[in-house]
Amino acid sequence: MFRKRYYYVSLALTALLSVGVLSGCGTSEKNNANEQAEKDSDVKTINEYTGPPVELLFLDANTGITIEKFEEHFAKPVKAKHPNISLKLLKVTSPAKDGIEALVAAGTIPDIVADSNTGLNKYLDMDYAEDLNPMIKKFNIDLNRFEPAIVDTLHGLGRNKGIFGLPFAMNYGALLYNKDIFDKFGVSYPEDIITWDKFIELTNKLTRKDAEVQYIGSAPPTPVNWLRQYGASNFDEKDEKAVLTDDKHKYVFSLQEKLFEIPGFVEGNKWRPTNMAGGTIAMQAGWIMATTTLVSTNLPFDWDLSAYPVFKENPTYGNSVDFGMLIVSKASKHKEAAYQVIMTMISDEVQERLNKNGQITALKDPKLKMTYAQDSQIYNGKNLQAIFKVSPAPLPDYSRWKSATDTFINAVAQDMALQKKDINTALREQEEKANKAMQELK
């Protein structure tokens, strides 16, 4: 009897416990569902603009955004995702007239500015740029999606005070070459990656006069870009003075000197040939964005690409990192709307569209990069993938004095080519001029 009663009691307890457990599971599942719904609601709220209709002023300062591209790849996707946000494009035609300083002085303050990373200093100096770290945290933005060199630059540009812009596009170094000239003189095409020494050797072989036509072996980069790629800073930030006479500068300009010594390379007052479209220049080391514009004109010769030439000391680095960034005004009354614009522009969907259209993505995804300019089909059958075999070189510095020294850097090469000055003299004289200009700016 005891066993039988125990059996029934056990059954009853088991049933009660089962009901409790099931009830607990149901409650737990219900709580989890409620928590997930709240999270989904929070995400939805964060990713949606819920304010009143607003028109944001969008200034393109230095990224080459055409009106057509702006409407199709900026305004249209923003409007599709956020119907209450409209964008009005302003373009800089003359810095003194409609540049950021002139607009702010006139009381017309853009909510968002698109500019190159090299231009950020002026926005910091005039206290225009908003620190985007709170936005990055709020929207849980993963900076690891972007090119590593871009992320490093974002931190460096912020002067240890924040991140003052997010990238929406970038540029990439490339070597464009005229296959017809190589064939004409029986010279092998450049390999996917060549050093600057090999670049100079090829330039020497291809700088020739034939049937009264002067062929030039190459259009080299600007001295400023050459120095950035090599990691040579043009100033001492701490002492606020120009530095052009150190060993790094002497080495880079020694390469420039080798080009100037090639018979026929310097013609009259032309010390840096650039008109590759004329069909007489064999190679051009530049930016893929400029290359895309050039080859879109249906060049009258057969051409191809390889990676931007490298220094033998740093064989994995191509041209210096360069990207377009979106900067939000600290004084904007519509920051939440501006943040939604940026979130739209850095989304995978819009980045893919921009990339295929010819505005190379700032994302590091190699598969995505391989679709660059796909919509135009101008690179069909070309060695486009070669340009991505080297990485963007990190910038050697982020000083506000950059713009004050660039002019004098290029003047060194001009003095060497046209005035026949030796490297040391040209560097010393331009360093003195740069320091004088910096003192005046102070």
Side-chain angles (χ1 to χ4, degrees), residues 244-257:
L244 310 186
T245 54
D246 63 350
D247 290 342
K248 284 187 175 182
H249 284 74
K250 291 177 182 177
Y251 173 67
V252 171
F253 279 100
S254 73
L255 299 181
Q256 186 80 72
E257 185 178 48

Side-chain angles (χ1 to χ4, degrees), residues 105-118:
T108 305
I109 303 177
D111 297 283
I112 303 173
V113 173
D115 204 342
S116 167
N117 58 276
T118 58

Side-chain angles (χ1 to χ4, degrees), residues 223 253 256 260 271 408-419 426 430:
F253 279 100
Q256 186 80 72
F260 295 154
W271 60 274
F408 302 99
I409 292 297
N410 291 328
V412 172
Q414 185 170 332
D415 287 348
M416 291 168 56
L418 305 183
Q419 308 302 323
Q430 293 301 331

Side-chain angles (χ1 to χ4, degrees), residues 68-83:
E68 294 77 18
K69 185 177 290 186
F70 177 78
E71 289 299 325
E72 181 65 24
H73 299 289
F74 288 75
K76 187 175 178 180
V78 168
K79 178 63 73 173
K81 186 168 180 59
H82 308 288

Side-chain angles (χ1 to χ4, degrees), residues 286-358:
W287 295 105
I288 190 62
M289 292 287 290
T291 298
T292 299
T293 300
L294 180 62
V295 299
S296 297
T297 62
N298 294 320
L299 294 174
F301 53 82
D302 193 10
W303 56 272
D304 213 334
L305 299 167
S306 62
Y308 193 81
V310 300
F311 287 99
K312 57 188 176 185
E313 298 88 348
N314 297 304
T316 62
Y317 285 148
N319 210 346
S320 59
V321 61
D322 183 73
F323 56 93
M325 60 195 308
L326 298 174
I327 307 162
V328 176
S329 168
K330 184 182 290 187
S332 174
K333 297 178 181 178
H334 312 292
K335 290 178 187 176
E336 288 302 317
Y339 296 158
Q340 295 294 351
V341 171
I342 292 180
M343 289 300 297
T344 301
M345 296 313 301
I346 66 175
S347 68
D348 289 344
E349 179 185 359
V350 173
Q351 284 293 300
E352 182 178 3
R353 270 199 260 169
L354 280 171
N355 190 66
K356 287 182 177 180
N357 188 257

Side-chain angles (χ1 to χ4, degrees), residues 116-127:
S116 167
N117 58 276
T118 58
L120 180 62
N121 279 305
K122 65 173 172 283
Y123 301 97
L124 297 180
D125 288 342
M126 61 190 296
D127 200 28

